Amino acid sequence: MRPMRGEDIPVVMGVETAAYPHPWTEGIFRDCLRVGYCCRVLMASEEIVGYGVMSVAVGECHILNVCVHPQAQRQGLGCRILRRLLAIGHSRNADTAFLEVRASNRAALGLYSREGFCEVGRRRGYYPLAGGREDAVIMARPLVAGAGSPKSD
Ligand SMILES: CC(C)(COP(=O)(O)OP(=O)(O)OC[C@H]1O[C@@H](n2cnc3c(N)ncnc32)[C@H](O)[C@@H]1OP(=O)(O)O)[C@@H](O)C(=O)NCCC(=O)NCCS
């Protein structure tokens, strides 16, 4: 994995639009880089196959995006990106990690549960959905030593 750069954004957008029914815009990625969020790309054979975006502030980190190209999913890469972000958060003195995920996103809920996140709340009808709205599930996990410190690989 390496830091995301501005010139990566067109390729990142290709992965984003292939993986999400409701993708981020290019402007969101540019803003994340501009404000200094932790943005990492995962390379395989010199191609970007996934990435993660996280903010870290006042003892908390917020996982904002974890994404793997559909053709590379279910090979442990999402798990690897997530663990790397959590290790970076831990190294920057965050003691808790938070994230929000669509209630219908079974893959992401499976990944986050497996990695120790628990539901701590919901935002009712937070996300737009074709023909309606759906809840955001708010999840958290501790990063403190003794409570399952994140592994890095
Ligand atoms: C969520 C996502 C990042 C997972 O990436 P991945 O590389 O496929 O995940 P991994 O191979 O590391 O899987 C880790 C675990 O997550 C869970 N998981 C992953 N995909 C799953 C699926 N389709 N259904 C159920 N559980 C799933 C499983 O517990 C899996 O462990 P297992 O393979 O041993 O059963 C990927 O599906 C993705 O990019 N989705 C689109 C973007 C997205 O929704 N991101 C999350 C936004 S909050």
Side-chain angles (χ1 to χ4, degrees), residues 47-112:
E47 286 195 24
I48 293 172
V49 292
Y51 45 85
V53 178
M54 173 180 72
S55 67
V56 190
V58 287
E60 295 177 356
C61 60
H62 293 254
I63 307 287
L64 304 174
N65 199 340
V66 174
C67 187
V68 174
H69 192 286
Q71 289 173 3
Q73 290 177 6
R74 257 3 239 279
Q75 298 171 33
L77 301 182
C79 188
R80 206 160 136 196
I81 295 168
L82 178 62
R83 287 183 181 185
R84 184 77 194 115
L85 293 181
L86 295 176
I88 293 170
H90 188 242
S91 74
R92 295 184 187 176
N93 299 320
D95 56 26
T96 312
F98 291 92
L99 58 85
E100 292 180 20
V101 55
R102 286 175 180 267
S104 64
N105 193 340
R106 289 185 54 237
L109 288 166
L111 169 65
Y112 298 138

XYZ file of all heavy atoms in Angstrom, residues 47-112:
499
model
N -1.092 -2.048 -10.403
C -2.422 -1.465 -10.637
C -3.108 -1.223 -9.310
O -2.939 -2.005 -8.369
C -3.281 -2.417 -11.464
C -2.872 -2.445 -12.912
C -3.936 -3.096 -13.778
O -5.116 -3.108 -13.384
O -3.557 -3.599 -14.831
N -3.927 -0.162 -9.263
C -4.685 0.120 -8.046
C -5.900 -0.809 -8.029
O -6.731 -0.774 -8.943
C -5.123 1.600 -8.027
C -3.883 2.494 -7.886
C -6.122 1.849 -6.889
C -4.162 3.975 -8.052
N -5.977 -1.652 -7.010
C -7.113 -2.578 -6.908
C -8.037 -2.226 -5.747
O -9.120 -2.795 -5.622
C -6.667 -4.051 -6.777
C -6.023 -4.536 -8.061
C -5.726 -4.237 -5.592
N -7.600 -1.289 -4.910
C -8.440 -0.890 -3.791
C -7.836 0.300 -3.085
O -6.711 0.720 -3.401
N -8.582 0.838 -2.132
C -8.089 2.016 -1.411
C -8.897 2.205 -0.138
O -9.973 1.601 0.041
C -8.182 3.286 -2.279
C -9.487 3.403 -2.993
C -10.597 3.969 -2.374
C -9.635 2.872 -4.277
C -11.804 4.023 -3.014
C -10.854 2.919 -4.926
C -11.928 3.497 -4.292
O -13.142 3.526 -4.929
N -8.350 3.027 0.731
C -9.048 3.379 1.958
C -8.820 4.843 2.265
O -7.767 5.401 1.929
N -9.820 5.463 2.885
C -9.744 6.878 3.266
C -10.200 6.988 4.718
O -11.216 6.399 5.105
C -10.649 7.754 2.360
C -10.607 9.212 2.802
C -10.240 7.615 0.894
N -9.438 7.741 5.499
C -9.739 7.843 6.934
C -9.351 9.243 7.429
O -8.355 9.803 6.982
C -8.901 6.785 7.671
C -8.966 6.846 9.165
S -7.933 5.551 9.925
C -6.284 6.166 9.594
N -10.142 9.772 8.357
C -9.735 10.994 9.059
C -9.322 10.603 10.472
O -9.880 9.664 11.045
C -10.874 12.019 9.084
O -11.933 11.552 9.884
N -8.344 11.294 11.006
C -7.899 11.048 12.386
C -7.876 12.383 13.104
O -7.265 13.335 12.620
C -6.472 10.447 12.448
C -6.153 9.987 13.873
C -6.292 9.302 11.484
N -8.561 12.460 14.245
C -8.570 13.708 15.023
C -8.994 13.406 16.445
O -9.826 12.511 16.671
C -9.532 14.715 14.400
N -8.430 14.172 17.370
C -8.746 14.113 18.800
C -9.087 12.707 19.318
O -10.141 12.465 19.880
C -9.869 15.117 19.195
C -9.335 16.528 19.182
C -11.119 14.993 18.332
N -8.153 11.811 19.109
C -8.284 10.485 19.705
C -9.241 9.544 18.998
O -9.488 8.441 19.464
N -9.797 9.981 17.860
C -10.729 9.118 17.115
C -10.287 9.033 15.664
O -9.795 10.016 15.112
C -12.148 9.707 17.098
C -12.806 9.773 18.436
C -14.178 10.435 18.344
O -14.560 10.891 17.238
O -14.837 10.500 19.375
N -10.500 7.878 15.068
C -10.356 7.850 13.613
C -11.687 7.437 13.001
O -12.472 6.696 13.616
C -9.205 6.967 13.160
S -9.288 5.263 13.625
N -11.955 7.975 11.839
C -13.201 7.701 11.123
C -12.851 7.094 9.771
O -12.209 7.756 8.948
C -14.027 8.980 10.944
C -14.552 9.516 12.236
N -15.873 9.418 12.609
C -13.927 10.111 13.263
C -16.043 9.948 13.811
N -14.871 10.381 14.231
N -13.269 5.848 9.597
C -13.059 5.186 8.313
C -14.135 5.721 7.370
O -15.333 5.521 7.608
C -13.215 3.652 8.457
C -12.331 3.096 9.569
C -12.988 2.950 7.117
C -10.875 3.034 9.295
N -13.709 6.410 6.313
C -14.661 7.069 5.421
C -14.928 6.272 4.154
O -15.991 6.412 3.547
C -14.140 8.463 5.049
C -13.826 9.374 6.249
C -13.175 10.659 5.789
C -15.098 9.668 7.033
N -13.964 5.451 3.752
C -14.154 4.650 2.538
C -13.177 3.473 2.558
O -11.997 3.663 2.880
C -13.900 5.515 1.286
C -14.491 4.935 0.019
O -14.771 3.744 -0.043
N -14.662 5.779 -0.990
N -13.662 2.305 2.285
C -12.821 1.127 2.030
C -13.422 0.477 0.798
O -14.627 0.175 0.783
C -12.841 0.115 3.199
C -12.066 -1.149 2.828
C -12.261 0.733 4.469
N -12.622 0.297 -0.227
C -13.192 -0.198 -1.486
C -12.190 -1.080 -2.223
O -11.002 -0.763 -2.286
C -13.589 0.998 -2.347
S -14.483 0.541 -3.836
N -12.698 -2.179 -2.771
C -11.885 -3.119 -3.549
C -12.594 -3.324 -4.889
O -13.830 -3.455 -4.932
C -11.749 -4.462 -2.798
C -11.038 -5.507 -3.647
C -11.005 -4.256 -1.475
N -11.819 -3.353 -5.965
C -12.423 -3.574 -7.291
C -13.220 -4.879 -7.268
O -12.744 -5.889 -6.712
C -11.324 -3.651 -8.359
C -11.883 -3.580 -9.731
N -12.551 -4.636 -10.332
C -11.918 -2.566 -10.627
C -12.961 -4.273 -11.526
N -12.586 -3.020 -11.727
N -14.416 -4.888 -7.865
C -15.247 -6.102 -7.823
C -14.507 -7.365 -8.257
O -14.728 -8.436 -7.696
C -16.405 -5.780 -8.769
C -16.513 -4.295 -8.731
C -15.118 -3.771 -8.519
N -13.595 -7.229 -9.233
C -12.871 -8.425 -9.704
C -11.816 -8.919 -8.720
O -11.271 -10.006 -8.888
C -12.217 -8.147 -11.054
C -13.238 -8.033 -12.172
C -12.613 -7.582 -13.482
O -11.408 -7.404 -13.585
N -13.466 -7.370 -14.480
N -11.533 -8.117 -7.698
C -10.501 -8.508 -6.712
C -11.101 -8.757 -5.326
O -10.359 -8.945 -4.361
C -9.425 -7.428 -6.636
N -12.432 -8.731 -5.247
C -13.056 -8.918 -3.931
C -12.988 -10.364 -3.474
O -12.758 -11.276 -4.254
C -14.517 -8.444 -3.973
C -14.605 -6.919 -4.094
C -16.014 -6.378 -4.216
O -16.992 -7.120 -4.101
N -16.136 -5.087 -4.454
N -13.197 -10.542 -2.186
C -13.215 -11.858 -1.532
C -11.860 -12.553 -1.587
O -11.784 -13.765 -1.638
C -14.280 -12.746 -2.167
C -15.617 -12.972 -1.418
C -15.843 -12.285 -0.172
N -16.109 -13.066 1.022
C -17.242 -13.600 1.395
N -18.286 -13.503 0.631
N -17.353 -14.236 2.532
N -10.797 -11.757 -1.565
C -9.438 -12.322 -1.518
C -8.668 -11.775 -0.325
O -7.437 -11.820 -0.312
C -8.686 -11.986 -2.810
C -9.309 -12.558 -4.066
C -8.646 -12.015 -5.331
O -7.455 -11.739 -5.365
N -9.442 -11.855 -6.380
N -9.386 -11.190 0.605
C -8.726 -10.674 1.805
C -8.180 -9.266 1.680
O -7.532 -8.758 2.596
N -8.447 -8.597 0.533
C -7.840 -7.274 0.328
C -8.546 -6.182 1.137
O -7.898 -5.283 1.676
C -7.834 -6.917 -1.165
C -7.072 -7.897 -2.062
C -7.091 -7.422 -3.513
C -5.641 -8.070 -1.573
N -9.870 -6.260 1.220
C -10.610 -5.277 2.027
C -10.143 -5.327 3.476
O -9.933 -4.296 4.122
N -9.959 -6.525 3.954
C -9.475 -6.751 5.315
C -8.086 -6.124 5.490
O -7.803 -5.456 6.482
C -9.426 -8.259 5.525
S -9.071 -8.717 7.170
N -7.255 -6.293 4.495
C -5.896 -5.762 4.559
C -5.902 -4.227 4.594
O -5.172 -3.604 5.371
C -5.135 -6.250 3.322
C -3.679 -6.315 3.559
C -3.073 -7.236 2.530
N -1.869 -6.611 2.033
C -1.243 -6.975 0.933
N -1.719 -7.943 0.199
N -0.152 -6.377 0.565
N -6.737 -3.625 3.741
C -6.823 -2.155 3.715
C -7.318 -1.657 5.074
O -6.753 -0.734 5.659
C -7.768 -1.682 2.587
C -7.192 -2.041 1.220
C -8.028 -0.176 2.693
C -8.183 -1.886 0.065
N -8.382 -2.287 5.575
C -8.960 -1.853 6.845
C -7.930 -1.966 7.970
O -7.758 -1.027 8.765
C -10.203 -2.696 7.150
C -10.901 -2.394 8.473
C -11.413 -0.951 8.501
C -12.067 -3.367 8.693
N -7.230 -3.086 8.045
C -6.232 -3.260 9.115
C -5.121 -2.229 9.023
O -4.625 -1.752 10.035
C -5.650 -4.673 9.054
C -6.634 -5.708 9.529
C -6.006 -7.073 9.528
N -6.965 -8.072 9.971
C -6.664 -9.348 10.157
N -5.443 -9.781 9.928
N -7.578 -10.190 10.575
N -4.733 -1.914 7.810
C -3.679 -0.907 7.630
C -4.155 0.459 8.139
O -3.435 1.163 8.831
C -3.298 -0.830 6.155
C -2.169 0.106 5.872
C -0.820 -0.489 6.257
N 0.202 0.551 6.275
C 0.855 0.946 7.367
N 0.652 0.375 8.524
N 1.741 1.921 7.301
N -5.398 0.830 7.786
C -5.928 2.116 8.256
C -5.987 2.132 9.782
O -5.620 3.123 10.420
C -7.322 2.380 7.675
C -7.423 2.616 6.167
C -8.880 2.876 5.780
C -6.554 3.783 5.704
N -6.452 1.045 10.382
C -6.568 1.002 11.845
C -5.194 1.096 12.500
O -5.033 1.755 13.534
C -7.285 -0.283 12.280
C -8.747 -0.410 11.831
C -9.320 -1.761 12.246
C -9.600 0.723 12.406
N -4.198 0.465 11.892
C -2.842 0.536 12.451
C -2.318 1.978 12.368
O -1.671 2.464 13.298
C -1.916 -0.420 11.707
N -2.622 2.652 11.270
C -2.196 4.058 11.149
C -2.920 4.905 12.193
O -2.319 5.737 12.874
C -2.461 4.592 9.721
C -1.555 3.873 8.713
C -2.251 6.102 9.656
C -1.907 4.138 7.246
N -4.214 4.688 12.355
C -4.984 5.422 13.362
C -4.399 5.217 14.757
O -4.215 6.165 15.523
N -4.088 3.965 15.059
C -3.489 3.628 16.361
C -2.159 4.347 16.537
O -1.887 4.917 17.605
C -3.307 2.107 16.419
C -2.883 1.607 17.753
N -1.691 0.963 17.955
C -3.483 1.644 18.957
C -1.573 0.628 19.233
N -2.655 1.025 19.863
N -1.349 4.363 15.480
C -0.029 5.007 15.580
C -0.161 6.524 15.734
O 0.772 7.184 16.169
C 0.825 4.670 14.357
O 0.347 5.391 13.235
N -1.332 7.064 15.368
C -1.555 8.514 15.525
C -2.397 8.811 16.763
O -3.093 9.826 16.840
C -2.221 9.078 14.266
C -1.313 8.971 13.051
C -1.938 9.609 11.818
N -1.126 9.350 10.635
C -1.469 9.711 9.407
N -2.620 10.349 9.210
N -0.685 9.437 8.394
N -2.377 7.874 17.701
C -2.980 8.062 19.030
C -4.502 8.042 19.060
O -5.109 8.522 20.022
C -2.475 9.358 19.698
C -0.975 9.319 19.886
O -0.425 8.275 20.248
N -0.308 10.417 19.601
N -5.134 7.500 18.033
C -6.587 7.308 18.111
C -6.852 6.108 19.018
O -6.129 5.112 18.960
C -7.162 7.059 16.726
N -7.855 6.211 19.874
C -8.186 5.052 20.711
C -9.497 4.391 20.304
O -9.841 3.324 20.800
C -8.168 5.396 22.204
C -9.080 6.550 22.548
O -10.058 6.773 21.819
O -8.808 7.231 23.561
N -10.233 5.020 19.386
C -11.488 4.432 18.902
C -11.610 4.693 17.401
O -11.239 5.766 16.927
C -12.708 5.069 19.603
O -12.484 5.100 21.007
C -13.989 4.312 19.311
N -12.126 3.701 16.693
C -12.402 3.862 15.259
C -13.910 3.827 15.044
O -14.607 3.001 15.651
C -11.742 2.749 14.458
N -14.404 4.725 14.218
C -15.827 4.801 13.881
C -16.003 4.682 12.367
O -15.098 5.036 11.600
C -16.422 6.153 14.306
C -16.532 6.343 15.785
C -15.503 6.950 16.490
C -17.652 5.899 16.480
C -15.596 7.127 17.868
C -17.747 6.074 17.850
C -16.719 6.689 18.544
N -17.171 4.258 11.972
C -17.528 4.272 10.547
C -19.045 4.196 10.419
O -19.747 3.893 11.394
C -16.863 3.107 9.813
C -17.147 1.698 10.306
C -18.437 1.137 9.712
C -15.985 0.786 9.949
N -19.515 4.517 9.222
C -20.947 4.400 8.922
C -21.098 3.574 7.660
O -20.318 3.726 6.723
C -21.574 5.778 8.716
C -21.613 6.563 10.003
C -22.238 7.934 9.848
O -22.978 8.151 8.854
O -21.973 8.778 10.710
N -22.101 2.730 7.654
C -22.286 1.840 6.511
C -23.781 1.683 6.235
O -24.593 1.706 7.174
C -21.585 0.479 6.774
C -22.046 -0.158 8.064
C -21.742 -0.477 5.608
N -24.115 1.560 4.953
C -25.518 1.322 4.594
C -26.007 0.023 5.218
O -25.297 -0.997 5.157
C -25.673 1.211 3.076
C -25.578 2.519 2.351
C -25.624 2.307 0.850
N -25.541 3.577 0.161
C -26.604 4.283 -0.229
N -27.825 3.803 -0.037
N -26.454 5.444 -0.827
N -27.211 0.047 5.732
C -27.774 -1.141 6.393
C -27.884 -2.325 5.436
O -27.878 -3.483 5.871
C -29.139 -0.791 6.980
N -27.945 -2.062 4.120
C -28.077 -3.161 3.149
C -26.729 -3.706 2.678
O -26.697 -4.661 1.895
C -28.852 -2.667 1.917
O -28.104 -1.651 1.270
N -25.618 -3.102 3.120
C -24.300 -3.467 2.593
C -23.750 -4.675 3.362
O -22.929 -4.566 4.275
C -23.344 -2.277 2.684
C -22.068 -2.488 1.887
O -21.720 -3.624 1.565
N -21.387 -1.415 1.578
N -24.190 -5.856 2.950
C -23.854 -7.081 3.694
C -22.365 -7.373 3.681
O -21.798 -7.842 4.663
C -24.631 -8.274 3.134
C -26.125 -8.196 3.475
C -26.888 -9.431 3.033
N -26.286 -10.656 3.565
C -25.866 -11.675 2.810
N -25.981 -11.620 1.494
N -25.342 -12.744 3.351
N -21.707 -7.090 2.548
C -20.263 -7.367 2.461
C -19.501 -6.511 3.472
O -18.657 -7.020 4.225
C -19.769 -7.099 1.046
N -19.820 -5.217 3.491
C -19.103 -4.327 4.406
C -19.445 -4.654 5.863
O -18.553 -4.688 6.721
C -19.444 -2.870 4.086
N -20.707 -4.926 6.135
C -21.087 -5.283 7.515
C -20.360 -6.552 7.952
O -19.900 -6.659 9.093
C -22.609 -5.472 7.618
C -23.430 -4.176 7.547
C -24.912 -4.502 7.316
C -23.267 -3.350 8.817
N -20.210 -7.495 7.011
C -19.487 -8.736 7.319
C -18.024 -8.454 7.618
O -17.464 -8.963 8.588
N -17.414 -7.616 6.776
C -16.000 -7.267 6.967
C -15.795 -6.572 8.323
O -14.926 -6.957 9.110
C -15.545 -6.347 5.829
C -14.184 -5.665 5.995
C -13.058 -6.683 6.013
C -13.957 -4.661 4.865
N -16.617 -5.563 8.587
C -16.404 -4.775 9.802
C -16.694 -5.597 11.064
O -15.983 -5.471 12.056
C -17.258 -3.507 9.761
C -16.906 -2.584 8.614
C -17.888 -1.946 7.865
C -15.576 -2.363 8.259
C -17.564 -1.112 6.810
C -15.245 -1.529 7.205
C -16.246 -0.907 6.482
O -15.914 -0.085 5.436
